Amino acid sequence: MAFDPMLQRQIMGRFATGVTVVTTRYGEQISGMTANAVMSLSLDPPLIVVSVDCKSNMHGHLTQGQCYAINVLRHDQEDLSRRFAQPGPKDFSDLKLAVAETGAPILADALAYVDCRVVEVAPAGDHDLFIGEPVAGETHDGQPLIFYSGQYAQLAPIAADS
Ligand SMILES: Cc1cc2nc3c(=O)[nH]c(=O)nc-3n(C[C@H](O)[C@H](O)[C@H](O)COP(=O)(O)O)c2cc1C
């Protein structure tokens, strides 16, 4: 019997992650999508991966653009995560943006970014894995936004006596 997808979601939801907005540029257009299925895949050679739902608009945009930036959100950017998790065109008009190498928009207030050129797309069920070669990136000080068990959270220091 097939493994219950709801149970898979619940189990993997217990794996706390950061939250990113993955952005791309295709022609004159920019687009973005909230994503936490991102990973540093290899250091030698350097490779990053984002897993993208084949039914999302972002899938088509990444296929056209062949580049992406992963923008790691700060603890106070839950509103951006919610905005970029809505299907359809995304509003960038009030955001401070920068451009690194590939042309994908960088969210200037993010905690970190990595700008990638797509080097391979590997099918994975109802998602495709967009494997990218990083070409630019930056980190800043601050605290990350966390996603855990379907809810947003922040890091808390572990008490000294626990
Ligand atoms: C915290 C969080 C993480 C998400 N991670 C992913 C992901 O890794 N891959 C993905 O395809 N969708 C992910 N989504 C869902 C997309 O953000 C959502 O489907 C979005 O509406 C896609 O927009 P689009 O269809 O306009 O591209 C995530 C949503 C949330 C709230």
Side-chain angles (χ1 to χ4, degrees):
M1 205 172 68
F3 195 76
D4 179 2
M6 285 312 294
L7 180 57
Q8 180 177 340
R9 286 185 90 136
Q10 285 167 9
I11 293 166
M12 296 314 293
R14 297 298 198 273
F15 183 58
T17 67
V19 183
T20 77
V21 171
V22 176
T23 56
T24 191
R25 179 178 298 273
Y26 54 109
E28 296 301 301
Q29 308 286 323
I30 55 174
S31 100
M33 177 190 87
T34 300
N36 64 352
V38 303
M39 189 171 72
S40 172
L41 188 60
S42 163
L43 289 176
D44 185 17
L47 294 172
I48 306 277
V49 66
V50 54
S51 176
V52 181
D53 189 333
C54 298
K55 293 190 299 298
S56 66
N57 296 301
M58 190 65 175
H59 187 281
H61 301 158
L62 285 171
T63 303
Q64 276 181 264
Q66 292 295 304
C67 67
Y68 59 81
I70 292 178
N71 298 271
V72 181
L73 296 186
R74 291 178 186 269
H75 69 98
D76 58 357
Q77 292 182 315
E78 180 181 331
D79 55 335
L80 283 189
S81 176
R82 291 186 186 279
R83 180 192 306 194
F84 283 91
Q86 296 294 322
K90 311 297 189 300
D91 181 15
F92 285 82
S93 62
D94 60 331
L95 302 178
K96 258 191 286 170
L97 300 177
V99 176
E101 292 278 320
T102 69
I106 310 301
L107 305 184
D109 293 331
L111 189 54
Y113 79 85
V114 60
D115 189 23
C116 300
R117 280 188 227 294
V118 174
V119 292
E120 195 178 332
V121 181
D126 57 6
H127 283 54
D128 275 347
L129 304 178
F130 284 81
I131 299 172
E133 170 193 36
V135 292
E138 248 174 40
T139 63
H140 304 282
D141 290 337
Q143 294 291 315
L145 182 62
I146 302 293
F147 198 66
Y148 175 72
S149 201
Q151 313 244 322
Y152 292 99
Q154 296 182 29
L155 288 180
I158 296 173
D161 58 354
S162 65

